Amino acid sequence: MPGQSPSQTVGPFFHNCLIRGGENSLTTPQTRGQHILIQGQVLDGDGQPVPDAMVEIWQADAHGFFNHPEDPNQAQADPHFRGFGRAETVDDGRFTFHTVKPGIIPGEQTPYVNVRLFSRGMLIHAVTRIYFADETGNTSDAVLNSVPDKRRGTLLAMPVESPGLPTYCFNIHLQGELETVFFDY
Amino acid sequence: MTKPFNSLDWQVQPPYLYAPYASTVKRSPQKPLVVVPQKMSELTGPVFGEVDLKPLDNDLTRNAVVNGEPIGERIIVVGRLLDENGRPIPNALLEVWQANSCGRYIHKNDQHDAPLDPNFTGTGRVLTDAHGEYRFTTIKPGAYPWRNHENAWRPPHIHFSVFGRNFLQRLVTQMYFPGDPLLALDPIFNGIPDENGRQRLISSYAHDITTPEWALGYRFDIVVCGQRETPFETKEA
């Protein structure tokens, strides 16, 4: 049996290939559900912005379905929503996604977005999740409950005042006291 | 815990912190990873198809032509995308990017004093076919200097971004060339803790792919996490 191919860093020069424009918008006007913005900043161990990271997200549609053959509800999934997005961080380490608030996946307790982070200086990606601080189901989510109390907040996107679409803030701290909870499987 | 797929193999995968690669020092998570179950959000992932490709995406020697052919050694890269059980993964998207033959990227942050090539952007995309096989044509990339340590040079490489069938099979890696003396000196390559793992990222010269009077061939297979033999383990149930 072949062994896994090792990961290598995405490096600093991925933009022309991986970021061609618009990948950070997961929606069209036809996409069902509450359209939202998720904004955040990627920060290093000194609290300095990481200006050359790439953030990818993967999430269910507004009803908790995935447009993927593994999902028994695929036929009901929103045809105007692939569920995948990609954003570069810019000079101040900030990124933005235009997406929809995911629905609760059947059998689960609360909505969330899967996140994978790539960067120069990371030989392998880091995986985390965005939960939404205003969801009551969070208290019964097994993954959130498996995280130490004092670190749970790193997984919660906070609603912020915004003149336009409902907006959530989700910062990713690679290191330090506020280090985001990262996952393995 | 539900675990239909193998986890990342940390005997083979590089760690977050590898001090010889200086940028890892402030960018490496240090707290223990939290293990989560593999459920619907992990067992699905984006589905790509021909609609996502343009006709010349798999030919980097032609997809950016302005006024002539790109300069350098033309090569053909082929390979298979497999899971750990040796099963091919069809219809998977691979994105590739690289420096030109002089070791220069088209990027505002690449200040290496080497010429840009007006006919080469060094970016491409390809889907694996029904047998998990892919093929693209490009120019052999050059080595380039970086500031990690005194007289540091990256060995020539092609970056690969790989989507498998699901979220768990996502992989970003680099393909290297056989016989390269810079590999032994490269902290990114040597951040891989396992010799077999390192060897897996070195392509092999493929004379059967080499095309007379045209281009040299290289073969580079990619292996991502595979399904476990016992697909549904539910100890907690």
Side-chain angles (χ1 to χ4, degrees):
Chain A
M1 293 295 115
Q4 290 174 14
S5 298
S7 170
Q8 293 275 266
T9 181
V10 76
F13 302 131
F14 59 82
H15 300 78
N16 284 346
C17 181
L18 301 185
I19 307 288
R20 299 182 176 202
E23 293 91 348
N24 66 332
S25 177
L26 287 74
T27 63
T28 70
Q30 289 79 39
T31 306
R32 298 170 199 153
Q34 175 63 62
H35 290 222
I36 61 170
L37 298 180
I38 300 174
Q39 300 178 333
Q41 212 177 359
V42 180
L43 300 154
D44 72 10
D46 290 330
Q48 293 299 309
V50 175
D52 50 8
M54 180 173 79
V55 184
E56 288 185 349
I57 61 174
W58 170 245
Q59 64 164 93
D61 71 11
H63 295 100
F65 304 142
F66 292 95
N67 209 334
H68 185 278
E70 192 70 21
D71 189 337
N73 298 305
Q74 183 187 14
Q76 298 171 66
D78 184 347
H80 301 290
F81 190 71
R82 186 186 258 170
F84 175 76
R86 184 183 262 177
E88 60 182 315
T89 60
V90 291
D91 291 346
D92 56 2
R94 288 186 192 280
F95 64 89
T96 301
F97 287 102
H98 182 165
T99 184
V100 295
K101 190 98 173 264
I104 300 174
I105 301 164
E108 302 203 32
Q109 273 65 48
T110 200
Y112 62 87
V113 172
N114 278 355
V115 178
R116 185 171 260 122
L117 177 72
F118 303 86
S119 179
R120 176 178 72 81
M122 298 180 76
L123 287 165
I124 187 164
H125 56 245
V127 174
T128 187
R129 284 182 181 180
I130 299 171
Y131 287 86
F132 299 90
D134 51 4
E135 288 291 330
T136 54
N138 289 347
T139 52
S140 47
D141 183 81
V143 169
L144 278 179
N145 286 328
S146 72
V147 172
D149 288 353
K150 62 175 194 236
R151 299 192 65 203
R152 196 170 297 136
T154 68
L155 298 175
L156 299 178
M158 305 300 290
V160 292
E161 289 294 325
S162 163
L165 290 175
T167 301
Y168 291 86
C169 177
F170 184 80
N171 292 332
I172 301 173
H173 295 263
L174 287 173
Q175 245 182 37
E177 208 167 320
L178 296 172
E179 182 177 314
T180 299
V181 171
F182 295 109
F183 296 134
D184 197 4
Y185 294 100
Chain B
M1 188 167 278
T2 316
K3 197 167 173 181
F5 277 75
N6 290 322
S7 312
L8 286 172
D9 179 355
W10 292 103
Q11 305 297 311
V12 169
Q13 299 296 339
Y16 289 114
L17 177 62
Y18 183 68
Y21 176 19
S23 302
T24 66
V25 172
K26 294 294 182 184
R27 294 184 170 191
S28 44
Q30 294 177 335
K31 299 192 192 313
L33 301 178
V34 173
V35 177
V36 297
Q38 302 171 2
K39 294 164 81 169
M40 196 55 71
S41 72
E42 287 73 38
L43 303 178
T44 55
V47 176
F48 298 97
E50 292 294 341
V51 63
D52 295 297
L53 300 184
K54 295 199 290 287
L56 293 177
D57 273 355
N58 65 352
D59 189 345
L60 287 72
T61 68
R62 292 168 66 209
N63 67 14
V65 163
V66 173
N67 59 4
E69 292 209 50
I71 302 293
E73 185 182 339
R74 198 182 292 117
I75 62 172
I76 299 164
V77 181
V78 303
R80 288 192 303 163
L81 177 60
L82 305 167
D83 69 19
E84 286 171 281
N85 303 308
R87 295 194 190 97
I89 302 180
N91 305 314
L93 178 67
L94 309 183
E95 299 162 287
V96 295
W97 69 103
Q98 61 168 92
N100 70 22
S101 61
C102 304
R104 180 83 188 268
Y105 288 87
I106 297 181
H107 194 285
K108 62 179 174 10
N109 292 340
D110 187 356
Q111 301 297 325
H112 176 35
D113 182 14
L116 289 170
D117 187 330
N119 297 302
F120 189 74
T121 57
T123 65
R125 304 179 127 199
V126 62
L127 283 179
T128 59
D129 67 14
H131 309 290
E133 294 175 2
Y134 71 88
R135 178 186 182 105
F136 65 91
T137 305
T138 187
I139 297 290
K140 191 172 182 188
Y144 60 85
W146 59 314
R147 293 186 182 141
N148 186 71
H149 56 275
E150 177 65 23
N151 204 12
W153 291 77
R154 290 294 338 273
H157 59 276
I158 300 176
H159 294 268
F160 277 67
S161 156
V162 179
F163 290 88
R165 285 195 183 90
N166 60 36
F167 187 78
L168 299 169
Q169 292 182 328
R170 181 86 176 96
L171 175 71
V172 168
T173 190
Q174 300 180 24
M175 176 194 116
Y176 301 97
F177 291 88
D180 187 339
L182 292 173
L183 286 169
L185 305 171
D186 181 50
I188 292 180
F189 177 72
N190 289 294
I192 301 163
D194 175 69
E195 172 62 16
N196 290 329
R198 289 192 293 274
Q199 291 302 319
R200 232 167 268 147
L201 295 191
I202 303 175
S203 58
S204 54
Y205 171 67
H207 199 62
D208 56 324
I209 302 301
T210 294
T211 306
E213 318 294 328
W214 179 249
L216 293 181
Y218 289 89
R219 182 170 279 111
F220 181 61
D221 292 340
I222 302 165
V223 181
V224 296
C225 301
Q227 216 153 351
R228 279 151 52 101
E229 293 305 316
T230 316
F232 295 106
E233 181 188 22
T234 50
K235 275 184 206 149
E236 74 215 329

